[in-house]
Amino acid sequence: MIRVRKAQRSDRPALRRLIRATDVFNPREKAVARELVDAALGERGEHPDYKVLVAADRGAPPAGYICFGPSPMTVGTWDVYWVIVDPGRRRAGAGRALVRAALDLIRARKGRRLLVDTSTQAAYRPAQALYECLGFCPVATIPDYYRTGWHRVTYFKRLSS
Ligand SMILES: CC(C)(COP(=O)(O)OP(=O)(O)OC[C@H]1O[C@@H](n2cnc3c(N)ncnc32)[C@H](O)[C@@H]1OP(=O)(O)O)[C@@H](O)C(=O)NCCC(=O)NCCS
């Protein structure tokens, strides 16, 4: 059974392995993903801007993680920065469990909106399907944002009025 919990500092090596193993990110994207994990799991305790939850069976290395946080210049709008599931453990519900757990935490903190950007590249189709199955709607497209032909799509979910 998939269990989602807060990431701990001791999860850092496993999260780095997950980032390394992810097939869709380029080296710069992987470096940014690592930076956010390091910031979120730094020595000063919980980071105000970055939260990380992991999906893991008891005692097993994490199957995936989600990094998200409140958008600093808003009241109650949150962003998902990364959600990654180990390529060998996909389609088993870990991604859905991670986003649902993030939604629960955001609701508990009176969050109103959740946004996530993704790319129109074929490699990100699973990410789009994941957000759509959880009731996110595509609300904006920036043409050629990542590079010519690779558009940015923003998915949106309303948590309260
Ligand atoms: C996107 C990602 C996190 C999904 O994780 P996952 O654990 O495989 O997703 P789940 O098993 O929870 O799938 C939930 C639902 O999403 C949809 N979905 C997920 N992967 C899909 C795929 N490859 N094709 C079609 N639908 C898919 C389905 O509706 C699925 O429900 P179902 O299995 O009951 O049909 C994973 O594919 C991944 O790590 N991709 C690479 C990193 C990435 O693109 N991250 C997002 C941008 S930061």
Side-chain angles (χ1 to χ4, degrees), residues 2 22-25 63 65 80-87 89-99 116-119 123-134:
I2 299 161
T22 301
D23 37 359
V24 299
F25 302 143
Y65 79 90
V80 173
Y81 300 113
W82 304 96
V83 50
I84 294 177
V85 171
D86 182 350
R89 288 186 277 177
R90 290 188 187 155
R91 292 312 289 270
R96 185 180 359 233
L98 285 164
V99 178
V116 54
D117 289 331
T118 190
S119 165
Y124 288 90
R125 187 62 208 134
Q128 293 173 20
L130 171 66
Y131 305 135
E132 284 165 14
C133 91
L134 289 167

Side-chain angles (χ1 to χ4, degrees), residues 44-120:
R44 295 195 187 151
E46 190 171 332
H47 194 287
D49 295 333
Y50 305 120
K51 318 286 171 208
V52 176
L53 302 176
V54 299
D57 295 332
R58 203 179 299 275
Y65 79 90
I66 184 166
C67 178
F68 62 105
S71 183
M73 283 179 282
T74 69
V75 177
T77 295
W78 290 59
D79 293 304
V80 173
Y81 300 113
W82 304 96
V83 50
I84 294 177
V85 171
D86 182 350
R89 288 186 277 177
R90 290 188 187 155
R91 292 312 289 270
R96 185 180 359 233
L98 285 164
V99 178
R100 281 193 175 144
L103 287 165
D104 287 345
L105 185 149
I106 294 166
R107 283 196 188 95
R109 299 197 182 190
K110 306 210 181 318
R112 301 175 303 111
R113 304 283 186 268
L114 182 57
L115 298 174
V116 54
D117 289 331
T118 190
S119 165
T120 56

